Amino acid sequence: MLLVMFNHQSNKIIVLLNFYAYYRYTKPRRVMYKVDLPVDNSADVAVERRRAAEAARQARIFNTRHRVMGLDLKALEQQVVENKEREEMAGQRERALDMLRVTQDEVLMKQQQEEEERRAELNRDLIQYRAIRQRAEDTRDADLNVHRQGALGLSIPIPESELGPASMQVFQGEGIGDNDKRRAQMEQTERALRAQREQSEKLQKEKKLKELLKGKELVQQDLRAVQLDALEEECKRAGRIALNNYNHAQAAECVEKERKERMRREGKEMAEVWHMVTSDILTECPKAAERQVDGGPVGGPRVLTDRWRGMSPVQLSAIRRQREEQRLEGKRLREIEKQRDAAWDFQRMVQTREDEEEERKAMELKKEKRIEMDRYNEQLARDQREHQQYLSKTLYTNRPTARYFTQFSSSSR
């Protein structure tokens, strides 16, 4: 058994011999004598079966169309067969349903035809029964209905000499006074009809009388309702007139109250104006606004706010003098604040310059480090290129041939 290995470092193919196989085939074997035994072909059959399975597997695996497109022909064929079977079953079901519908329609039409035939047979039987069993000649008053007396011309096969009294059909004196009876019946019917007509006319007159009385009663009720409505409207009109009079009286009273209130308010306002004009509040007298506090000159006078009319020139000059002093003091404080701000600005400028100097030194140091790193990277790149050239031109010089690539994809395992 051979083992083929590929060395990626040297690009060489290494062929190893299985030690077990070498030992097996190189070791001296014992001599066996030939004996007539039946040949066992099971191993050959197994080998052939494996070869056929391997060939089928390679045909299935190395088929580019199936491998690239991912088609499963067996599954697709199975789906096609299933779809056809499903469509065939659906068609059979539809055909069975159509046959069932046709059969049901035929049965229904047959039942309808049988029902019509049964009805026609019943009608024929009924007509035949009436023609045989319910003839007009067989009734008791058949001779009266046909307006003739005596026998109806029935043919009796027995001779009259052999018939007894019970077989007699017409008697002497039968039918006497039928016209008078019929006339009396007609008169009685006419009297009954006349009585019914008179009764109906009477009922109609009573009904009309009741309707007339009911109409008169409704008219009386309508007249009563109209009178009541007129009285109610008159009462409402009187109530409105009384309410209007009351409202007018209330309005006149309100107007009088408002007039008196206005005159009282105007009098009060005039008195207040007169008091304001004649009082010390409009005289602008400074003394009128001063009030002596308990304790004498210690507390000093207090000002009455409702009578004060301004300050005196002395007070105004004192206020102006104090305001000037405050202005000078504020100016002095602003000068001091300005000097302090200038000192702080100078200190910040010095600190800023120191910071800029430190930042410049840091940038120079960072630049030197970057230059040094670039040099180191260039050295590493140079070494890498030299190593790649050594690998490609010196070490890996044995290129694989076409025979090396033919060993792949030659087996399905």
Side-chain angles (χ1 to χ4, degrees):
M1 180 177 183
L2 296 179
L3 297 178
V4 181
M5 298 180 62
F6 179 74
N7 190 355
H8 294 280
Q9 295 181 357
S10 61
N11 290 337
K12 295 181 178 179
I13 300 173
I14 300 174
V15 180
L16 299 179
L17 180 62
N18 193 343
F19 178 76
Y20 174 76
Y22 175 76
Y23 175 78
R24 179 181 178 183
Y25 292 104
T26 56
K27 182 180 178 180
R29 292 176 294 181
R30 296 178 181 178
V31 178
M32 296 182 66
Y33 295 97
K34 184 178 179 180
V35 181
D36 294 335
L37 296 175
V39 180
D40 189 5
N41 297 328
S42 60
D44 297 336
V45 173
V47 170
E48 292 296 332
R49 185 175 64 254
R50 293 194 189 95
R51 288 178 181 176
E54 180 67 16
R57 181 180 175 84
Q58 290 180 1
R60 185 173 65 255
I61 293 176
F62 296 149
N63 191 342
T64 306
R65 179 180 178 83
H66 293 175
R67 186 176 66 252
V68 175
M69 299 181 64
L71 295 178
D72 191 356
L73 293 178
K74 291 185 178 179
L76 294 177
E77 292 175 357
Q78 184 67 21
Q79 291 179 3
V80 171
V81 172
E82 291 178 356
N83 291 333
K84 289 182 178 179
E85 291 179 356
R86 193 180 300 109
E87 292 177 356
E88 184 66 23
M89 291 177 64
Q92 292 179 2
R93 188 184 302 107
E94 292 294 334
R95 288 192 294 271
L97 292 175
D98 293 338
M99 294 178 62
L100 180 60
R101 284 193 291 268
V102 171
T103 304
Q104 291 179 353
D105 293 340
E106 292 177 354
V107 171
L108 182 61
M109 293 176 64
K110 186 175 181 181
Q111 289 179 356
Q112 291 179 355
Q113 186 177 0
E114 292 177 356
E115 184 69 20
E116 292 177 357
E117 292 177 357
R118 191 182 301 109
R119 289 182 180 179
E121 185 69 22
L122 291 175
N123 292 330
R124 287 195 297 270
D125 293 342
L126 181 61
I127 293 171
Q128 186 178 3
Y129 177 80
R130 288 175 178 175
I132 296 174
R133 301 295 182 181
Q134 295 182 353
R135 295 186 305 170
E137 294 82 359
D138 296 336
T139 58
R140 293 182 179 180
D141 53 352
D143 55 347
L144 298 177
N145 293 331
V146 297
H147 303 289
R148 62 190 182 90
Q149 295 181 0
L152 297 177
L154 298 175
S155 59
I156 301 176
I158 302 173
E160 293 183 359
S161 59
E162 297 179 3
L163 296 176
S167 301
M168 299 177 65
Q169 300 292 329
V170 180
F171 296 94
Q172 187 177 2
E174 184 178 2
I176 298 175
D178 288 339
N179 295 329
D180 296 337
K181 291 180 180 179
R182 191 177 299 106
R183 190 180 301 107
Q185 290 177 357
M186 293 176 61
E187 291 177 357
Q188 184 177 1
T189 304
E190 186 178 358
R191 286 195 299 271
L193 292 175
R194 190 183 302 109
Q196 291 178 1
R197 186 169 56 253
E198 291 176 356
Q199 183 70 20
S200 177
E201 291 177 356
K202 184 178 180 181
L203 292 176
Q204 290 290 336
K205 290 180 180 180
E206 291 179 356
K207 185 177 180 180
K208 290 181 179 179
L209 181 60
K210 288 181 180 179
E211 291 178 355
L212 182 61
L213 293 176
K214 188 175 181 180
K216 290 182 178 179
E217 185 177 359
L218 292 175
V219 170
Q220 293 293 334
Q221 291 179 0
D222 293 338
L223 293 175
R224 182 63 178 172
V226 170
Q227 292 177 0
L228 292 175
D229 292 339
L231 292 175
E232 185 177 1
E233 188 65 27
E234 188 67 24
C235 292
K236 289 182 179 180
R237 189 182 298 108
R240 286 196 295 270
I241 292 172
L243 182 60
N244 290 331
N245 295 332
Y246 177 75
N247 292 334
H248 289 321
Q250 289 289 332
E253 185 178 357
C254 291
V255 170
E256 184 66 21
K257 286 182 179 180
E258 290 178 358
R259 187 182 64 80
K260 291 181 180 180
E261 182 66 23
R262 186 173 63 256
M263 291 179 65
R264 185 185 63 79
R265 187 170 60 254
E266 290 178 356
K268 186 176 180 181
E269 291 177 356
M270 291 297 295
E272 185 177 359
V273 171
W274 178 256
H275 176 70
M276 293 293 293
V277 170
T278 56
S279 62
D280 293 337
I281 193 170
L282 297 177
T283 58
E284 297 184 0
C285 180
K287 293 182 179 180
E290 294 179 357
R291 181 180 62 181
Q292 193 71 24
V293 184
D294 297 339
V298 178
R302 294 288 182 88
V303 176
L304 299 176
T305 57
D306 58 345
R307 301 179 184 179
W308 186 69
R309 286 295 177 272
M311 294 183 293
S312 62
V314 178
Q315 293 175 345
L316 291 174
S317 62
I319 291 174
R320 292 190 184 97
R321 184 173 58 254
Q322 188 176 4
R323 185 171 60 187
E324 184 67 21
E325 292 176 357
Q326 292 177 358
R327 187 181 65 78
L328 295 174
E329 181 66 20
K331 184 177 180 181
R332 185 180 65 81
L333 293 175
R334 283 194 297 274
E335 289 293 335
I336 295 171
E337 186 68 23
K338 187 176 182 180
Q339 293 176 3
R340 187 183 301 110
D341 292 340
W344 278 109
D345 292 340
F346 178 76
Q347 184 69 24
R348 281 195 295 271
M349 184 178 63
V350 173
Q351 185 67 29
T352 303
R353 289 178 180 177
E354 293 178 356
D355 294 341
E356 290 178 355
E357 184 67 22
E358 292 179 358
E359 186 177 358
R360 184 181 61 79
K361 292 180 180 180
M363 290 295 291
E364 291 178 356
L365 181 61
K366 186 176 181 181
K367 186 176 181 181
E368 292 177 358
K369 289 182 178 180
R370 188 182 299 111
I371 292 171
E372 185 178 357
M373 186 178 294
D374 293 340
R375 291 175 182 174
Y376 180 71
N377 291 334
E378 289 179 359
Q379 181 64 31
L380 290 178
R382 194 180 305 111
D383 296 341
Q384 181 69 17
R385 285 195 298 272
E386 293 177 356
H387 183 66
Q388 292 294 333
Q389 290 178 0
Y390 167 75
L391 292 178
S392 60
K393 294 181 179 180
T394 304
L395 185 60
Y396 299 147
T397 57
N398 187 11
R399 301 293 180 181
T401 61
R403 183 180 178 183
Y404 168 73
F405 293 102
T406 56
Q407 65 179 337
F408 300 102
S409 297
S410 61
S411 176
S412 62
R413 300 298 177 182

